[in-house]
Amino acid sequence: MEALRDNQGEVESRRFQECSSKHATLLVQEEGYWKQRAKMHWLQEGDLNTRFFHMSASARSKKKKITNLMDDAGTIVHTQEDLCGVAKNYFNALFRNISGIHEPVLNLIQQRVTEEDNHSLMAPLTKIELQHALFQMHPDKSPGPDGFNPAFYQRFWEHCGDDIFVAASSWLDRGYFPSSINETNICLIPKCDNPTSMKDLRPISLCNVLYKIVSKVLANRLKLCLDKCVSQEQSAFVEGRSILDNALIAIEVIHAMKRKTRGYRGELALKIDISKAYDKVDWGFLRGMLVKMGFGEKWIQWMMMCVSSVNYLVLMNFDKVGPITPGRGLRQGDPLSPYLFILVAEGLTALIHQAVSRGDIHGVRICRGAPEVSHLLFADDCFLFCRANVAEVTQLLSILQTYEQASGQEINLSKSEVFISRNMSQAAQADLASILGVRHVLGTGIYLGLPSMVGRSKKAIFSYIKDRIWKRINSWRGRALSKAGKEIMIKSVLQAIPAYVMSMFILPSSFIDDIEKMINAFWWGGGNGNSKGIHWLAWERLACPKDKGGLGFRNFEAFNMAMVAKQAWKILQNPDTLVAY
């Protein structure tokens, strides 16, 4: 282009236009490449191929790099070969099949799926279903071993849709996948800043998009009949139920227990931690649950085909370790896994319901006429309630042990938390905590991302929200963004941080003012992170809609009231739910 720019001839001018067009295309492709590597899905507009994306990609690469791990013998290893060996040994042991005792749980499961449900579940596959499932995926999600992300299939659906439909139909008709389709990479995401153990790494499965299209079609069918298969104590992944339902119930129950200072009968709440909940699900138990619930044989075959035909390759600093052939576990990254997991968790619910009906365990009532709450589940987040005596605590431990032996999951009581009503003496509380083998926590725990006990000072309890916003504002991301990028970051990230808490609690006005001041300073501030800049407009003006001269930023106080009112409206709309009672 530089060579052709100064020439005025017709041929050179046409050649310059061709080069200019090609250059623009290459810039767009380079922008897409760095945007995919940066994984900033919230940034839809405002920044193109700027240093923000390059810095994001570099930061992700540094964070994911594993430098040392502890092996089975307790020795810290550093070389790439040894790191790969530690990963392979860990996952071979994690996914090793361990036969369980299923009958004590399966015998309690009643049929819930009707013939009409099975007819809908096992209906012939349609191309519309496949297309709908494909376009539900984010275009830039990480690809599987074949390297094709959802954007590729979405862009060229008109050319490859018919072939995908024929192939997917044949896979379901025959009842098995080609070996390459269900190959899966395991990406290790650090849970902390400096991971030294495999337990500090979260394994996320990167499935091939072709497999995920089929799996998502089956998941879309399954979720339509989940409501009748899953008990009301489980609020995860079921349409019409919300995570806030369980959080609200838990907070109300704990609050009632804290206020209970009289009476001879105490009450106990146990928040249990399940170790590697998805990775240790027993396939035999899963199949047994599907059979007992009444799913058709063809549907069960499809589910087990998706679950059991997988082969893993572990990504360790960009080297592939494997293959690893599992004998149990559900993949975190498979669209079907969340729904299958909550079906497995129905086994725990069945055991608790049996104990309650026998009178072996009694739930908690927050007042006269209120329903008895024996347990709350949100996927693998479990809150169990019983009376604070040795007999019921022992029975609760027996239920957990039976569920462990059946499902393959392991309850980590050392990381679990217990809260006992305050009418029990300190000695009695310590004895019960000792029997359970858990930490004795007086209402300081977090359940579903919310404090289980809120005292007089909300500003102190929710100070972590301001810390998270401050950390985001003062990171290099905020300094590397353009003005338009800042606007998107404020609307997509910073304003979203307190939204979850605002759905449950009315925050103090002074606390909301502090948040608005922080965001306002970030908007007007300079690029070095220290300059406050000149505030040309007040926050009230910025929070107006764009058609009225503002920038459309959120009025947090009004938003807070609207979110709390929404919860009341949902309860009025669904008066038969547990949270409504």
Side-chain angles (χ1 to χ4, degrees):
M1 289 172 64
E2 287 295 327
L4 294 170
R5 187 185 300 276
D6 297 331
N7 295 323
Q8 301 297 323
E10 182 179 350
V11 176
E12 288 80 2
S13 178
R14 186 168 59 253
R15 177 63 178 157
F16 178 83
Q17 293 295 331
E18 292 174 357
C19 290
S20 179
S21 177
K22 184 176 181 180
H23 178 245
T25 302
L26 291 173
L27 287 177
V28 171
Q29 291 175 350
E30 188 180 20
E31 173 199 336
Y33 169 77
W34 284 103
K35 187 175 181 179
Q36 288 179 351
R37 285 197 62 192
K39 293 293 181 187
M40 291 294 157
H41 294 155
W42 56 267
L43 189 59
Q44 298 296 325
E45 56 185 337
D47 284 62
L48 297 179
N49 188 25
T50 62
R51 69 185 183 122
F52 172 78
F53 291 115
H54 294 254
M55 293 171 70
S56 299
S58 300
R60 290 186 73 249
S61 180
K62 290 178 182 178
K63 185 177 180 180
K64 288 172 59 178
K65 186 174 178 60
I66 301 169
T67 56
N68 55 76
L69 286 174
M70 184 183 297
D71 61 14
D72 295 336
T75 304
I76 301 294
V77 300
H78 303 278
T79 66
Q80 179 66 14
E81 183 180 358
D82 290 338
L83 292 173
C84 292
V86 170
K88 186 170 184 179
N89 293 336
Y90 175 80
F91 283 106
N92 278 329
L94 179 64
F95 294 131
R96 186 178 65 250
N97 182 27
I98 300 176
S99 57
I101 305 172
H102 307 153
E103 286 73 20
V105 178
L106 295 181
N107 291 337
L108 303 177
I109 305 300
Q110 302 295 323
Q111 180 173 338
R112 306 175 188 183
V113 181
T114 64
E115 288 296 328
E116 293 181 358
D117 294 330
N118 277 320
H119 181 73
S120 300
L121 291 172
M122 296 181 290
L125 192 65
T126 66
K127 186 179 177 182
I128 298 297
E129 280 185 301
L130 287 173
Q131 183 178 3
H132 179 64
L134 171 62
F135 282 86
Q136 283 180 317
M137 303 180 194
H138 193 285
D140 289 338
K141 284 295 184 180
S142 298
D146 64 6
F148 294 102
N149 63 358
F152 172 81
Y153 294 101
Q154 292 171 359
R155 173 67 177 80
F156 299 106
W157 176 253
E158 292 184 1
H159 302 282
C160 62
D162 292 333
D163 293 334
I164 294 175
F165 170 65
V166 172
S169 299
S170 66
W171 298 336
L172 294 180
D173 290 340
R174 292 181 300 180
Y176 67 88
F177 288 114
S179 58
S180 61
I181 293 297
N182 216 1
E183 288 181 351
T184 301
N185 288 337
I186 294 181
C187 181
L188 301 175
I189 308 297
K191 298 180 183 178
C192 55
D193 291 336
N194 296 303
T196 57
S197 167
M198 287 299 299
K199 293 183 179 180
D200 296 331
L201 302 169
R202 180 178 290 107
I204 301 298
S205 298
L206 306 181
C207 308
N208 288 320
V209 174
L210 278 177
Y211 164 78
K212 288 179 70 175
I213 294 173
V214 179
S215 177
K216 200 161 186 65
V217 168
L218 300 179
N220 287 339
R221 292 184 178 186
L222 178 58
K223 69 181 181 182
L224 296 178
C225 64
L226 274 182
D227 187 48
K228 63 178 66 176
C229 297
V230 178
S231 59
Q232 63 177 348
E233 289 88 356
Q234 173 70 263
S235 64
F237 312 122
V238 181
E239 189 173 358
R241 306 185 194 181
S242 170
I243 184 174
L244 294 170
D245 295 348
N246 275 15
L248 180 60
I249 296 170
I251 291 169
E252 289 292 336
V253 171
I254 296 295
H255 178 69
M257 292 172 61
K258 182 181 179 181
R259 295 186 61 189
K260 187 172 185 176
T261 57
R262 298 180 180 180
Y264 66 92
R265 190 172 64 196
E267 291 166 334
L268 177 147
L270 176 65
K271 179 180 175 290
I272 62 173
D273 176 81
I274 302 179
S275 175
K276 299 292 182 183
Y278 277 73
D279 301 322
K280 295 184 178 181
V281 171
D282 188 306
W283 290 347
F285 181 70
L286 170 62
R287 183 182 182 89
M289 290 291 293
L290 295 175
V291 171
K292 286 289 187 177
M293 287 186 175
F295 288 98
E297 183 59 35
K298 187 177 181 181
W299 178 261
I300 296 174
Q301 183 185 8
W302 287 350
M303 295 295 99
M304 301 312 298
M305 172 182 72
C306 292
V307 168
S308 62
S309 62
V310 60
N311 284 310
Y312 291 118
L313 291 171
V314 182
L315 302 180
M316 175 59 70
N317 295 334
F318 305 106
D319 283 345
K320 292 187 176 182
V321 181
I324 295 170
T325 303
R328 63 173 178 174
L330 300 173
R331 287 172 288 182
Q332 298 184 58
D334 184 346
L336 272 172
S337 294
Y339 304 126
L340 297 179
F341 182 85
I342 62 174
L343 292 179
V344 168
E346 282 300 291
L348 178 59
T349 295
L351 287 170
I352 295 175
H353 284 168
Q354 182 193 42
V356 170
S357 63
R358 289 177 176 175
D360 297 335
I361 285 180
H362 297 82
V364 175
R365 298 181 189 271
I366 63 173
C367 62
R368 292 179 181 176
E372 192 174 80
V373 181
S374 58
H375 65 291
L376 296 170
L377 304 178
F378 187 86
D380 58 336
D381 284 305
C382 306
F383 231 138
L384 310 179
F385 305 95
C386 68
R387 291 178 181 172
N389 58 60
V390 175
E392 295 206 7
V393 168
T394 304
Q395 182 65 29
L396 198 60
L397 289 175
S398 176
I399 289 173
L400 295 178
Q401 184 179 11
T402 303
Y403 179 66
E404 280 185 342
Q405 294 174 348
S407 67
Q409 299 177 16
E410 296 180 14
I411 312 298
N412 190 350
L413 289 174
S414 63
K415 290 186 177 181
S416 301
E417 299 176 351
V418 65
F419 176 70
I420 302 174
S421 58
R422 295 188 172 180
N423 62 329
M424 302 292 291
S425 65
Q426 291 294 326
Q429 293 184 25
D431 289 342
L432 293 174
S434 177
I435 293 173
L436 288 168
V438 303
R439 297 179 301 173
H440 191 197
V441 179
L442 293 176
T444 59
I446 300 292
Y447 179 63
L448 301 180
L450 292 170
S452 55
M453 177 59 66
V454 178
R456 292 181 179 274
S457 177
K458 288 184 180 179
K459 290 189 69 173
I461 291 173
F462 295 122
S463 60
Y464 70 92
I465 297 175
K466 291 170 60 176
D467 295 339
R468 287 178 60 191
I469 295 175
W470 183 257
K471 185 177 179 181
R472 285 278 190 171
I473 287 175
N474 286 276
S475 68
W476 57 265
R477 290 184 175 87
R479 296 192 294 270
L481 284 170
S482 66
K483 204 68 172 178
K486 277 187 175 182
E487 179 189 350
I488 301 300
M489 182 175 175
I490 290 173
K491 292 180 177 179
S492 301
V493 180
L494 301 183
Q495 291 185 157
I497 290 174
Y500 182 50
V501 173
M502 285 181 171
S503 300
M504 186 69 64
F505 300 99
I506 298 177
L507 300 183
S509 298
S510 59
F511 185 84
I512 292 176
D513 289 340
D514 291 343
I515 294 176
E516 290 179 345
K517 287 178 182 177
M518 292 166 60
I519 298 177
N520 199 20
F522 170 67
W523 171 251
W524 294 112
N528 59 6
N530 297 321
S531 174
K532 295 182 179 180
I534 300 175
H535 293 207
W536 294 102
L537 287 176
W539 178 258
E540 290 75 14
R541 292 285 301 278
L542 295 179
C544 293
K546 287 188 175 182
D547 59 357
K548 295 183 179 180
L551 285 173
F553 293 149
R554 183 171 289 165
N555 182 324
F556 281 103
E557 190 165 3
F559 178 76
N560 191 185
M561 298 304 296
M563 293 297 287
V564 173
K566 181 182 177 182
Q567 298 308 311
W569 178 81
K570 284 179 62 179
I571 291 173
L572 292 174
Q573 293 294 112
N574 302 282
D576 296 330
T577 57
L578 184 61
V579 67
Y581 287 112

